[in-house]
Amino acid sequence: MKQKIQFFIVLIFACCSSIKAQTSNNEKAAREWIVAHLEGINSKQIGDFKLSFVRKSLSGETLRFQQMMNNVPVYKSEIVVHINPSNEISYSTNSINTNLQNITTSPSITEEEAISKSNRVLNNSDNSVIAETKLFVAFFKGQTRLVYRIVTNPTSGSASWENLIDAQTGDLLSSKDVAIYYKKKTKKKTDLKEIVTKDNVVQPSFVTGTGMIYNPDPLSKMLVAYSGQYVDNSNATNASLDAARETVTFPEIDLTAGVYKLKSSYVCIKDFESPSRGLFTQSTNNFSFNRSQYGFEAVNAFYHLDKSMRYINETLGIVCKPSLNGGIFYYDPSGLSGADNSHYIPSSEQIAFGEGGVDDAEDADVILHEFGHGIHDWITHGSASDNFGEGNGDYWAMSYSRSLNQWNSSQAAYHYVFSWDGHNPYWPGRLDNTTKVYPTDLDGEVHDDGEIWCAALMQIFDIIGRQEMDKAFLEGIANTTTTSTQQDAAIAVRQAGIDMNYPCADIQVMTQKFTARGYVLPALLLSMSTIADQTVSADASNTYTLPSYLTLANPITDNCDAIVTQSPVIGTVLASGTYPITMTATSGTSIVPRTFNLTITPFLSVNENIKQHVVIFPNPASNQMVLKGEFDSKESITIYDTLGQKVMEKAINSNEDKVDVSKLSNGVYYIYFNVLKASYKFIKE
């Protein structure tokens, strides 16, 4: 029987494949802040919270405190505190239950008896299907109850059943399907079958491979509508649909004993739901199929899942992996007994795709939508909220497909979510540009409501760009809980952008677009991120002239109207040594200073420092200046006026480059070499 480590017994968590104690140097500060700020929580109550998970990433450190009663966790009840890189608490939220009564937490029935009860309810006689069993304190219909939470995953893929069994009486309190589907589903109970057996653990040997995929789907690739040769036609292929494929390279596939398998450091194929299609292993590393062959869906899903995992963990630099299976994401390209739907299963952290209508694993939008549920689950450590999860999945799908720049904004399909699988006779799909607003147009159906959240995110995406929006999205939702709303998520995403020191203009875009969508965001108090220490070299006279460091300061206000001053002032001449430089932001009566250390290293020698020798002439200059030196290939200059305002930027393309200063007003300026970290004064006349 597969179980996640029970933190209420040993006060530790499983992280990927290793067991790590959850500790943080910020725990004391977080607890003190909670007591001082969170309404309804007093010093006695905070003693019933245990630090359960710590996440460090681009926006700072997130601490999750699990509510406990006598060392038993309270079901879906936690406090989240986020500390930004400036070591300040910038965000907090909670899903705590303040209505609990004190009860005994010693169960009267055993875990085995609870499982037996659950199996009888589900007409299941085989305990091997149990994916998770845990003891919780839960607030159910106005009463505090001790319950066993039992999750059962059938290999038919019909559902993932969560049963809550009263641990004192053995009564069934609740039974529901907790699998997460990419479109609406009529749920019904089905007889369960034996779950797949555990994989043999073999050290993988990875090599590159090739295959053929849809990127993201045949209609978007060929810029055509669903009609004519571009229809499902019972999975039949034709010349047009074959031509819509493209050949790709897999950075990793598994090679063991001469057998190639769709497995990488991030993703692995697994046949855990019916129908059983196999694993498509072969003796060659070329996995090329057409859509009439089941192997095509296996390859297509593998490519897009692996690529998205690499994008998050390597390109964005955000660690986001399953906590089970050694951090590898298992997927079944043919599951749900062939139904026209797909789902993510939180208890096993796996994903399966149906085959009804257009096979789901042929459309990258479906693949990445379901993957989006996995992201949400992993990055919140199992605390994903139903209130905006579907919008998360739609956004993650559209973030990728929009980045391919296939449809133009005047075409209807530009806004299609599930361009190939939906928007056809099988089902209407969804859109990323709904005019619905929050909360007025909520109808309580999570897929419908998710369109609002997705549309808001995509509007920001279109302005600030994919990578910046994706990072803010991931870092933001990482700080939400099971009860967080779309509005909570909007506040968290904007705060993540602030904590990652996004330009104030980007934060202003987030505020404007979220507000226009109906989310109420708190007014922004003046803030400014910590500025990193700087090191520069003195010039031949063993001095250094201070440039403007305004570009390092990034004060955030609602209107981006803060004024920044520098001390010592621009133009101050300093000898070698270390000096504190203070940037002070002012907005109305609010003042925020940030001090960093500037280290000026002594001038070396002409021979040792030849690459930093720069000649600027003529000086004064009227129309054109010449910059001469041995410049780094990435060198660029920024020109500031005496007020520290940036007036010009330019890349240096050779060791002797010209700068047009004819449009500058007459006066004194400072030219700053961004790679050399050197500043020179010149006069424009």
Side-chain angles (χ1 to χ4, degrees):
M1 179 171 61
K2 184 190 298 180
Q3 289 182 305
K4 295 182 182 178
I5 304 298
Q6 297 183 6
F7 62 82
F8 57 85
I9 295 177
V10 291
L11 302 181
I12 57 176
F13 272 93
C15 180
C16 296
S17 59
S18 61
I19 298 175
K20 299 179 180 179
Q22 298 300 302
T23 60
S24 169
N25 293 332
N26 291 311
E27 180 178 356
K28 182 175 182 290
R31 288 183 178 276
E32 291 174 349
W33 190 91
I34 290 170
V35 172
H37 290 81
L38 196 58
E39 223 175 289
I41 299 297
N42 57 41
S43 298
K44 182 175 182 299
Q45 287 173 306
I46 195 64
D48 292 327
F49 283 79
K50 299 288 179 68
L51 180 62
S52 61
F53 188 68
V54 178
R55 176 183 179 271
K56 298 179 181 181
S57 192
L58 302 179
S59 64
E61 181 173 295
T62 300
L63 293 82
R64 290 182 177 270
F65 294 88
Q66 170 69 53
Q67 188 175 9
M68 309 288 285
M69 181 178 288
N70 302 326
N71 276 343
V72 176
V74 178
Y75 186 52
K76 293 186 176 181
S77 186
E78 64 180 347
I79 300 174
V80 177
V81 177
H82 182 72
I83 299 173
N84 67 23
S86 297
N87 210 34
E88 301 163 339
I89 294 174
S90 62
Y91 184 83
S92 177
T93 189
N94 74 87
S95 60
I96 61 173
N97 193 315
T98 58
N99 297 313
L100 297 176
Q101 300 92 33
N102 193 24
I103 63 170
T104 178
T105 51
S106 298
S108 297
I109 67 171
T110 66
E111 179 179 299
E112 289 71 22
E113 289 172 327
I115 291 172
S116 178
K117 171 71 174 183
S118 177
N119 287 337
R120 289 196 301 273
V121 170
L122 298 174
N123 298 318
N124 174 43
S125 59
D126 191 337
N127 289 347
S128 67
V129 302
I130 304 302
E132 186 176 311
T133 304
K134 287 184 179 179
L135 191 67
F136 286 94
V137 171
F139 192 71
F140 185 78
K141 293 184 177 181
Q143 290 186 313
T144 305
R145 313 282 281 267
L146 185 68
V147 303
Y148 285 106
R149 178 181 184 265
I150 301 169
V151 180
T152 308
N153 296 333
T155 56
S156 65
S158 59
S160 177
W161 295 109
E162 176 199 73
N163 286 343
L164 298 184
I165 307 294
D166 191 305
Q168 307 298 2
T169 66
D171 293 339
L172 174 70
L173 301 180
S174 172
S175 181
K176 64 180 180 179
D177 182 2
V178 292
I180 306 172
Y181 301 85
Y182 84 103
K183 65 181 181 181
K184 302 172 188 177
K185 176 182 183 290
T186 301
K187 301 175 184 177
K188 60 181 181 179
K189 294 182 181 178
T190 307
D191 287 345
L192 306 178
K193 301 178 182 178
E194 185 173 349
I195 202 165
V196 68
T197 57
K198 294 182 179 179
D199 288 343
N200 291 325
V201 178
V202 180
Q203 187 66 30
S205 176
F206 294 125
V207 296
T208 59
T210 58
M212 300 195 79
I213 57 108
Y214 284 149
N215 196 22
D217 63 81
L219 305 186
S220 299
K221 175 74 173 181
M222 307 308 288
L223 299 178
V224 297
Y226 187 92
S227 63
Q229 294 297 300
Y230 296 94
V231 297
D232 180 63
N233 192 24
S234 300
N235 295 328
T237 194
N238 58 49
S240 296
L241 289 170
D242 283 349
R245 298 173 300 167
E246 62 181 64
T247 300
V248 294
T249 298
F250 308 128
E252 294 177 333
I253 55 173
D254 179 56
L255 173 61
T256 301
V259 177
Y260 294 89
K261 181 181 179 180
L262 295 171
K263 179 180 181 180
S264 71
S265 301
Y266 294 103
V267 179
C268 181
I269 188 172
K270 190 173 183 180
D271 191 1
F272 55 86
E273 289 186 3
S274 63
S276 180
R277 306 291 189 198
L279 301 179
F280 307 101
T281 56
Q282 54 185 42
S283 59
T284 172
N285 68 342
N286 184 0
F287 287 80
S288 293
F289 302 94
N290 63 51
R291 70 179 300 266
S292 68
Q293 300 170 291
Y294 289 115
F296 180 78
E297 287 76 36
V299 172
N300 199 54
F302 175 77
Y303 172 79
H304 287 293
L305 292 171
D306 183 76
K307 184 176 183 179
S308 201
M309 288 280 278
R310 291 178 189 278
Y311 169 69
I312 295 171
N313 289 274
E314 298 176 12
T315 302
L316 298 184
I318 296 174
V319 177
C320 185
K321 301 177 183 179
S323 64
L324 302 176
N325 308 315
I328 294 178
F329 189 26
Y330 285 119
Y331 76 100
D332 188 338
S334 301
L336 292 90
S337 295
D340 188 10
N341 214 332
S342 296
H343 60 200
Y344 170 77
I345 305 172
S347 61
S348 58
E349 299 184 0
Q350 299 178 146
I351 191 172
F353 301 98
E355 298 177 332
V358 174
D359 287 5
D360 287 357
E362 286 186 10
D363 189 336
D365 279 3
V366 181
I367 297 167
L368 296 179
H369 172 96
E370 286 303 320
F371 176 63
H373 288 304
I375 293 170
H376 192 184
D377 183 32
W378 310 332
I379 211 162
T380 60
H381 198 62
S383 293
S385 170
D386 293 337
N387 293 317
F388 57 94
E390 297 301 332
N392 284 350
D394 285 1
Y395 169 74
W396 197 251
M398 292 305 293
S399 170
Y400 177 70
S401 60
R402 184 70 58 81
S403 74
L404 299 176
N405 296 313
Q406 293 166 326
W407 302 102
N408 66 59
S409 58
S410 66
Q411 296 171 295
Y414 182 81
H415 297 290
Y416 285 178
V417 189
F418 316 120
S419 301
W420 173 226
D421 181 77
H423 303 279
N424 57 37
Y426 295 109
W427 76 293
R430 289 196 289 275
L431 299 172
D432 78 349
N433 67 336
T434 181
T435 59
K436 295 184 293 186
V437 297
Y438 181 94
T440 306
D441 294 315
L442 294 175
D443 66 13
E445 203 291 313
V446 292
H447 301 85
D448 294 343
D449 295 344
E451 285 188 309
I452 302 174
W453 178 235
C454 173
L457 296 173
M458 287 306 299
Q459 284 186 309
I460 302 169
F461 170 105
D462 286 338
I463 297 174
I464 74 172
R466 183 192 181 198
Q467 289 196 17
E468 294 305 289
M469 190 60 221
D470 285 352
K471 286 190 288 187
F473 164 75
L474 292 169
E475 290 292 301
I477 66 171
N479 294 328
T480 59
T481 70
T482 54
T483 60
S484 293
T485 64
Q486 290 187 23
Q487 179 164 293
D488 295 331
I491 296 170
V493 167
R494 185 183 69 168
Q495 188 60 51
I498 295 171
D499 290 345
M500 290 186 288
N501 203 26
Y502 280 16
C504 188
D506 288 354
I507 304 305
Q508 192 174 44
V509 168
M510 290 185 181
T511 301
Q512 291 169 348
K513 297 304 180 183
F514 281 143
T515 301
R517 190 59 60 174
Y519 306 118
V520 179
L521 277 63
L524 290 174
L525 302 176
L526 174 64
S527 65
M528 185 163 59
S529 294
T530 298
I531 300 173
D533 292 341
Q534 307 287 311
T535 301
V536 297
S537 297
D539 59 22
S541 63
N542 234 2
T543 62
Y544 181 76
T545 303
L546 279 186
S548 169
Y549 287 107
L550 290 183
T551 55
L552 300 180
N554 179 37
I556 303 296
T557 64
D558 277 324
N559 297 316
C560 299
D561 56 358
I563 297 172
V564 181
T565 58
Q566 175 177 317
S567 178
V569 298
I570 302 162
T572 300
V573 178
L574 299 172
S576 58
T578 299
Y579 302 88
I581 308 295
T582 300
M583 310 300 293
T584 302
T586 304
S587 178
T589 59
S590 299
I591 299 174
V592 175
R594 292 295 186 198
T595 298
F596 66 94
N597 288 323
L598 173 68
T599 299
I600 304 171
T601 59
F603 179 72
L604 299 177
S605 70
V606 174
N607 290 332
E608 293 172 315
N609 206 33
I610 187 63
K611 290 188 177 181
Q612 295 190 23
H613 185 64
V614 176
V615 176
I616 300 176
F617 64 92
N619 188 7
S622 56
N623 296 311
Q624 196 175 73
M625 285 196 314
V626 176
L627 309 181
K628 190 173 181 180
E630 295 184 22
F631 299 117
D632 186 278
S633 61
K634 296 181 180 179
E635 185 62 89
S636 64
I637 61 167
T638 305
I639 297 178
Y640 300 94
D641 62 20
T642 53
L643 296 177
Q645 302 298 312
K646 180 168 47 178
V647 296
M648 183 185 298
E649 291 180 300
K650 184 184 184 303
I652 302 300
N653 299 314
S654 67
N655 286 336
E656 185 170 330
D657 209 346
K658 297 177 180 179
V659 181
D660 182 2
V661 295
S662 61
K663 295 182 180 179
L664 296 180
S665 301
N666 292 348
V668 177
Y669 294 89
Y670 296 90
I671 181 168
Y672 182 65
F673 290 81
N674 295 301
V675 174
L676 291 181
K677 306 293 184 187
S679 179
Y680 297 84
K681 182 169 71 174
F682 76 92
I683 299 173
K684 165 65 170 57
E685 62 178 15

